[in-house]
Amino acid sequence: MITKSLFFAVSLFLGILSINSTGEILVKVKGIKNYKGYIQVDIYKTNKGFPTSEEFAFKKLRFKVQKRENDLIINNLQHGTYAIAIYHDENSNEKLDTNFIGIPKEKTGVSNNPNSRSIPSFSDARFDFFSSKKVLEINIK
């Protein structure tokens, strides 16, 4: 009986730890052509709105462009499954500029760098994050 109770208590404790666990993601952004503007990072937990509807992003971050390859740190991110969409907001207007049919005028990229000519899906870009640190490289085109 004590063994069962101890097993249950340890399982419950480990479950609580895993729910509250956080870590850090280092995103290495490749393909920046100039030092203008910002890099917009949108983190999604589900496919809803991915990759173009920022209002559905779980978390949104902006980083000033520092150099041609920017290392961005996302701190205190809860463990889970995510997909990241980024764009280089060259003119600092806080939106992804597109042409009249919706094709981006600014450089974009998503996690996992899928080789698709169409809009990448959440499943193409998703990744599991269950460690204290993770490094992702995202190429913008």
Side-chain angles (χ1 to χ4, degrees), residues 9-136:
V10 169
S11 297
L12 183 62
F13 177 73
L14 291 176
I16 290 170
L17 279 181
S18 67
I19 290 171
N20 295 324
S21 295
T22 63
E24 171 184 291
I25 296 180
L26 171 64
V27 180
K28 295 178 169 278
V29 180
K30 309 279 183 162
I32 300 288
K33 299 295 184 205
N34 61 57
Y35 302 102
K36 298 177 187 175
Y38 292 84
I39 298 168
Q40 175 72 35
V41 179
D42 298 323
I43 304 169
Y44 294 82
K45 284 183 154 184
T46 67
N47 64 344
K48 186 173 184 177
F50 183 83
T52 57
S53 298
E54 292 178 39
E55 65 268 18
F56 295 110
F58 161 71
K59 190 172 208 167
K60 297 182 252 186
L61 304 163
R62 282 177 71 76
F63 298 90
K64 180 83 174 127
V65 174
Q66 301 293 322
K67 53 187 175 180
R68 294 206 189 275
E69 292 183 10
N70 287 261
D71 292 349
L72 315 174
I73 298 173
I74 302 168
N75 289 311
N76 299 317
L77 187 64
Q78 277 194 327
H79 291 167
T81 300
Y82 299 98
I84 296 177
I86 65 172
Y87 67 90
H88 182 188
D89 183 13
E90 290 185 68
N91 60 4
S92 302
N93 67 350
E94 298 186 19
K95 67 177 188 171
L96 175 62
D97 296 322
T98 60
N99 66 14
F100 68 97
I101 58 172
I103 296 173
K105 292 180 179 179
E106 295 174 306
K107 304 282 186 192
T108 64
V110 299
S111 44
N112 295 336
N113 301 305
N115 291 328
S116 174
R117 292 186 182 254
S118 62
I119 296 174
S121 69
F122 180 84
S123 62
D124 290 337
R126 81 172 175 214
F127 61 91
D128 291 327
F129 176 59
F130 292 101
S131 59
S132 61
K133 289 190 179 190
K134 184 172 187 74
V135 177
L136 295 176

